[in-house]
Amino acid sequence: MKLCAGLLLAGFLVFEARADDLPDLAGVKRDLVVPKVSSEAPAPGIRGIQTTAGWEGTPVHHTVYLPLDWKAGGKFPVIVEYAGNGNYKNAYGDISDGSVEGCRLGFGISGGKGFICVCLPYVEVKDGVKQNAVLWWGDVEESKRYCMATVHDVCARYGGDEHALILCGFSRGAIGCNFIGLNDDKIAGLWRAFICHSHYDGEPEKWPYAGADRASALVRLRRLGNRPQFICQEGSTAATEEWLRSTGLEGRWTFERLPFRNHSANWTLCDLPIRRKVRAWLDAVLKE
């Protein structure tokens, strides 16, 4: 795990050297606060911890947030989120603990209204015990099974619209939108659209896991089809744009540069032009 964390940190050093002259998000006032996780029963405005049937008695868990305007019997689009890697901290004070509790991208994009927000774990098996993985994908097949079972359960229990599932993620989670979300035809069929913040599957190829190469990433990318993706990154999206152009595919990609130096999803908690853009993009997607 230390090796993985070290490689992850090294991957950002070049970017940070170019980012020093960009402003810091710490100087931007936040207008949203992510609710703390709770053991309360699901209710509007509550972000609770749950474990899906089949994983009872294990430490595996996810979070579910019901929006402030949630009502029983209603239908709500669902933002499903994957976390970034844990054990991460950079020179600007940006941190990621790799937990479902630390997710904030989906809540920030929704503003706490109109969407059910679910933060999913990657599931690893350690010493025979299934648990949430802080670094990378854990057992990929187990992670996919937990994803599909949880998404169906949340929709059945809380009125999630299975035709309006948005997959999003930050850092590791941004890569996971394709690496997990498009890993096979069955799981790929779940999603209406994707929001990938800071990194993208296949760009770069240096990550320390099987399937990080572009040939493998292209197999996954072909499952995207005509579905839209909102792709944003601190500083620049140029490397991702170049990679996607090189594939020869005609994707519905929207690229936005985040004009801050931070490797963080905290921009979604601030009233910034890019947050307004992703909200407008999501509204348009759901109206299609």
Side-chain angles (χ1 to χ4, degrees):
M1 292 180 68
K2 289 183 179 179
L3 174 62
C4 292
L7 287 170
L8 177 67
L9 181 58
F12 296 121
L13 293 182
V14 173
F15 174 79
E16 288 177 12
R18 300 195 304 265
D20 284 337
D21 57 347
L22 291 175
D24 197 297
L25 271 169
V28 181
K29 183 179 179 180
R30 299 182 187 181
D31 64 352
L32 289 176
V33 177
V34 182
K36 293 181 179 179
V37 292
S38 170
S39 58
E40 294 181 53
I46 300 296
R47 188 165 70 113
I49 295 178
Q50 296 187 342
T51 297
T52 300
W55 286 264
E56 306 98 322
T58 76
V60 178
H61 62 280
H62 61 279
T63 65
V64 177
Y65 171 83
L66 298 185
L68 292 170
D69 52 347
W70 183 87
K71 293 181 180 179
K75 276 286 186 184
F76 293 83
V78 183
I79 297 179
V80 178
E81 179 175 355
Y82 275 120
N85 268 324
N87 303 336
Y88 176 76
K89 182 176 182 180
N90 66 13
Y92 309 125
D94 304 319
I95 61 173
S96 175
D97 65 6
S99 72
V100 296
E101 293 87 347
C103 289
R104 60 198 61 196
L105 189 65
F107 177 84
I109 291 170
S110 74
K113 298 178 181 179
F115 294 81
I116 297 170
C117 295
V118 182
C119 299
L120 290 179
Y122 316 90
V123 182
E124 66 182 2
V125 183
K126 187 173 183 180
D127 298 326
V129 177
K130 296 176 183 179
Q131 61 185 24
N132 289 15
V134 173
L135 287 171
W136 299 115
W137 318 118
D139 181 308
V140 173
E141 294 303 315
E142 191 72 13
S143 296
K144 289 192 299 182
R145 282 193 291 271
Y146 194 87
C147 171
M148 290 185 285
T150 302
V151 166
H152 291 312
D153 183 64
V154 167
C155 289
R157 286 195 195 191
Y158 306 117
D161 186 347
E162 293 199 354
H163 300 290
L165 301 174
I166 311 300
L167 184 60
C168 76
F170 157 66
S171 194
R172 168 182 58 163
I175 301 170
C177 283
N178 289 11
F179 189 86
I180 298 293
L182 299 177
N183 196 270
D184 62 40
D185 290 340
K186 187 173 182 180
I187 195 169
L190 290 176
W191 317 111
R192 177 85 165 264
F194 305 75
I195 301 170
C196 312
H197 172 52
S198 198
H199 292 318
Y200 194 86
D201 189 26
E203 198 340 275
E205 298 180 272
K206 64 183 175 63
W207 305 122
Y209 55 81
D213 60 285
R214 288 190 171 180
S216 299
L218 182 56
V219 172
R220 294 186 288 270
L221 184 61
R222 290 186 187 280
R223 298 189 182 104
L224 177 63
N226 194 44
R227 288 170 293 180
Q229 289 188 330
F230 187 97
I231 300 168
C232 58
Q233 181 150 338
E234 65 273 21
S236 174
T237 61
T240 298
E241 292 182 57
E242 182 179 0
W243 149 232
L244 291 175
R245 282 195 302 269
S246 76
T247 67
L249 299 178
E250 295 292 333
R252 291 177 62 193
W253 296 301
T254 297
F255 300 98
E256 289 291 342
R257 169 184 176 270
L258 184 68
F260 294 91
R261 64 191 186 185
N262 307 85
H263 187 63
S264 169
N266 285 339
W267 60 273
T268 64
L269 307 181
C270 307
D271 184 14
L272 292 167
I274 189 170
R275 191 181 72 177
R276 294 193 288 272
K277 287 180 179 179
V278 71
R279 287 179 174 178
W281 172 90
L282 184 53
D283 184 60
V285 164
L286 292 175
K287 287 178 178 177
E288 290 180 353

